[in-house]
């Protein structure tokens, strides 16, 4: 390699450190916000687990169905991230002159909100009949009844949560993720207090049981939305965007763009959530203990996943801003730095899960429960498998976030379909039912599917990042 090549490589290495600092400054509040949001569900799971093993199993079934049916709206709301990041980057490319880019960001946020709310209507209708759907899927009647009561209370938080996701995407595009973290943290505290009071009761009141946990989640979702709305309205820099100004105004072209970008995100989420929901349903074939053990492993794996998910969101913002500004090399560098950070974190959590599996499993259970020992033993086994697939899960999450920054969402959806449903679920069911592995087989299949998705996502990002590095400006990927 000549001196010029060595100089370019040295400069590239030096440029990675400022980019790593920029990604981390954006990622850590996003990751903690994700973790706080997950703590809302985790708090419900722990409190309901203390209530009874059946309540924990029912909450798991209900929560999986909830997130699966929320995916179309949530994915569309997440489209606000790359749309607003590229709009801001394009404004910076023009030196921020005029208010054109401010108007574009306002219209993008408004279209994302409307497009998301439209998709919520069918989801709410299905969730109202969650018990009947779970019965049709072969679940035990008692568990289906409990999960149905949980869903009928919790479903009303979908609308404020969709609004919160759009506003969080706006703040990420503005590289102001901190407020969402503090507001979500307050919501976690509110949810924990209300969940305990509403589930178990207080001051002589018997409590509501499962519906109480759902109602507590609705109150937390409302707090998150109202808190961000108040912050954006009071902040002089953010208030000039007037995000809710005439938010009902129909903008067919922008709503079509949101759906064009967001529906593949929804599809990817639906495929991933769907495979874990299918796994929960399959666990139901092995009884309440298997579902409870699955719930433990899933909650822990989902908790660690919040960090690479936050890094992926930071990658969406950084890649989107740089892509909008026409800096192809910078966009490629931002993506690779983010993937490296996500992989490093998940490698560390893999070691922690494998070494502490049994102790972690017992933290979810009441030792006095007669089924606790069996659930803890199986939960520890499943947590060990979860530790094995941590690295793959982190890589695929961050790579998907980087691809979203380029508005590349359709191909990643197809890759997820191939990995999760072409390999993961068939292998898991085959190992569980025909090879005699039982619940363990389901999780081995999930691990295999995640590994394939990670490899495919990484290859896709390598190809697009090479193209963007060689281009004068990043061409926005046609969806």
């Amino acid at each position: 390699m000549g001196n010029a090549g060595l100089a370019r490589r040295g400069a590239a290495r030096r440029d990675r450190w400022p980019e790593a600092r920029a990604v981390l400054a954006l990622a850590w509040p996003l990751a903690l916000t994700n973790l706080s949001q997950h703590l809302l569900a985790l708090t419900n799971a722990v409190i309901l687990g203390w209530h009874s093993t059946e309540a924990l199993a029912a909450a798991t079934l209900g929560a999986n169905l909830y997130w699966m049916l929320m995916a179309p709206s949530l994915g569309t709301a997440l489209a606000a991230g790359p749309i607003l990041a590229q709009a801001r980057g394009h404004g910076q490319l023009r030196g921020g002159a005029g208010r054109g880019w401010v108007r574009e960001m306002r219209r993008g946020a408004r279209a994302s909100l409307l497009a998301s709310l439209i998709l919520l209507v069918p989801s709410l209708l299905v969730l109202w009949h969650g018990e009947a759907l779970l019965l049709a899927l072969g679940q035990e009647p008692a568990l289906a009844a409990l999960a149905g009561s949980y869903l009928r209370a919790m479903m009303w938080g979908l609308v404020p949560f969709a609004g919160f996701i759009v506003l969080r995407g706006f703040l990420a595009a503005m590289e102001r993720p901190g407020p969402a973290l503090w507001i979500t943290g307050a919501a976690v505290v509110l949810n924990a207090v209300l969940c305990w009071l509403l589930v178990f009761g207080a001051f002589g009141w018997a409590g509501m049981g499962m519906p109480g946990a759902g109602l507590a989640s609705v109150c937390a979702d409302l707090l998150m939305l109202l808190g961000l709305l108040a912050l954006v309205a009071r902040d002089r820099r953010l208030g000039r965007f007037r995000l809710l100004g005439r938010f009902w105004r129909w903008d067919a072209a922008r709503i079509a763009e949101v759906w064009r970008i967001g529906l593949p995100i929804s599809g990817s989420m639906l495929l991933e959530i769907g495979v874990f929901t299918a796994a929960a349903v399959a666990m139901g074939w092995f009884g309440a203990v298997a579902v409870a053990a699955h719930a433990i492993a899933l909650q822990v794996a989902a908790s660690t996943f919040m960090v690479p998910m936050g890094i992926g969101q930071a990658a969406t913002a950084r890649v989107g801003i740089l892509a909008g500004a026409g800096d192809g090399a910078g966009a490629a560098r931002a993506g690779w730095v983010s993937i490296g950070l996500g992989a490093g974190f998940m490698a560390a959590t893999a070691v922690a899960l494998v070494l502490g599996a049994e102790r972690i499993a017992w933290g979810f259970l009441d030792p006095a429960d007669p089924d606790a020992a069996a659930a803890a033993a199986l939960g520890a086994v499943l947590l060990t498998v979860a530790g094995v697939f941590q690295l793959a899960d982190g890589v695929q999450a961050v790579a998907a976030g980087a691809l979203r920054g380029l508005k590349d969402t359709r191909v990643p959806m197809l890759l997820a379909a191939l990995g999760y449903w072409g390999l993961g679920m068939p292998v898991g069911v085959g190992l569980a039912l025909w090879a005699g592995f039982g619940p363990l087989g389901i999780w081995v299949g999930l691990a295999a599917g995640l590994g394939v998705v990670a490899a495919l996502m990484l290859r896709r990002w390598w190809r697009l990042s090479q193209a963007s590095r060689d281009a004068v400006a990043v061409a926005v990927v046609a969806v």
Side-chain angles (χ1 to χ4, degrees):
M1 180 180 295
N3 291 335
L6 290 172
R8 284 195 300 271
R9 176 168 290 187
R13 280 197 295 266
R14 289 192 297 272
D15 289 342
R16 291 191 192 113
W17 292 111
E19 184 59 42
R21 288 193 293 270
V23 170
L24 286 173
L26 187 54
W28 76 262
L30 289 171
L32 289 178
T33 301
N34 292 334
L35 185 59
S36 297
Q37 288 174 314
H38 178 67
L39 283 175
L40 296 171
L42 185 62
T43 299
N44 288 1
V46 171
I47 291 176
L48 290 172
W50 292 338
H51 188 267
S52 70
T53 301
E54 290 74 16
L56 174 58
T60 301
L61 292 173
N64 275 278
L65 186 59
Y66 175 88
W67 285 105
M68 184 174 67
L69 290 170
M70 187 186 183
S73 175
L74 179 57
T76 304
L78 286 170
I83 289 172
L84 299 179
Q86 288 206 9
R88 184 184 175 213
H90 185 58
Q92 289 179 333
L93 178 65
R94 297 185 303 177
R99 298 180 58 85
W101 68 282
V102 173
R103 184 168 58 251
E104 288 299 309
M105 290 191 72
R106 177 170 62 249
R107 290 175 176 174
R110 182 173 61 198
S112 298
L113 179 60
L114 283 174
S116 179
L117 293 178
I118 290 170
L119 295 179
L120 273 182
V121 176
S123 297
L124 291 171
L125 292 174
V126 176
L127 285 171
W128 184 259
H129 299 284
E131 179 181 354
L133 181 56
L134 288 170
L135 286 172
L137 292 172
Q139 299 306 298
E140 296 177 6
L143 291 181
L146 286 173
S149 67
Y150 185 49
L151 289 171
R152 285 197 173 188
M154 189 166 60
M155 59 184 275
W156 302 112
L158 283 173
V159 172
F161 187 68
F164 169 80
I165 293 299
V166 172
L167 289 175
R168 191 186 66 177
F170 165 72
L171 291 173
M174 294 298 296
E175 298 184 278
R176 294 274 302 275
L181 169 61
W182 313 127
I183 291 169
T184 308
V188 170
V189 175
L190 176 68
N191 180 73
V193 173
L194 288 180
C195 188
W196 181 272
L197 293 176
L198 293 174
V199 169
F200 293 104
F203 311 110
W205 177 49
M208 301 171 63
M210 295 286 294
L215 184 58
S217 296
V218 174
C219 294
D221 290 333
L222 281 171
L223 174 62
M224 290 191 296
L225 174 62
L226 295 176
L228 282 191
L229 285 174
L231 176 131
V232 170
R234 291 174 62 87
D235 188 285
R236 184 173 61 182
R237 184 184 173 196
L238 301 177
R240 63 177 174 151
F241 288 90
R242 295 184 293 110
L243 293 180
L244 292 184
R246 299 180 182 178
F247 79 94
W248 58 86
R249 187 175 180 180
W250 186 258
D251 190 335
R254 284 180 174 79
I255 289 176
E257 181 191 14
V258 172
W259 279 338
R260 189 168 63 250
I261 297 170
L263 286 177
I265 298 176
S266 300
S268 297
M269 292 180 60
L270 192 59
L271 290 164
E272 184 171 1
I273 294 170
V275 79
F276 280 98
T277 301
V281 171
M283 288 291 180
W285 302 336
F286 298 97
V289 168
V291 176
H294 173 77
I296 293 167
L298 186 60
Q299 291 289 347
V300 174
S303 297
T304 60
F305 178 73
M306 295 301 105
V307 173
M309 183 178 175
I311 297 173
Q313 291 164 345
T316 299
R318 289 294 302 164
V319 171
I321 291 170
L322 293 166
D327 185 356
R333 182 170 56 249
W336 282 117
V337 166
S338 300
I339 291 170
L341 292 172
F345 175 83
M346 291 301 263
T349 63
V351 175
L353 288 188
V354 170
L355 295 180
E358 185 174 358
R359 182 175 299 179
I360 294 170
W362 272 109
F364 286 81
L365 298 164
D366 181 1
D369 192 313
D371 293 325
L378 181 56
V381 173
L382 300 184
L383 278 169
T384 302
V385 179
V388 172
F389 69 60
Q390 287 287 288
L391 182 60
D393 206 12
V395 168
Q396 68 87 18
V398 181
L403 290 168
R404 287 174 192 170
L406 297 178
K407 297 184 180 179
D408 180 42
T409 57
R410 184 176 58 85
V411 171
M413 178 188 68
L414 299 176
L415 300 181
L418 176 62
Y420 296 139
W421 291 97
L423 178 69
M425 200 60 202
V427 169
V429 172
L431 291 174
L433 297 181
W434 302 316
F437 283 86
L440 173 61
I442 299 293
W443 273 72
V444 171
L446 294 176
L450 281 168
V452 169
V453 173
L456 293 174
M457 291 286 192
L458 203 57
R459 181 175 181 271
R460 175 71 176 174
W461 172 250
W462 180 82
R463 291 181 62 189
L464 293 186
S465 67
Q466 285 292 108
S468 67
R469 186 179 290 116
D470 296 337
V472 176
V474 175
V476 175
V477 175
V479 179

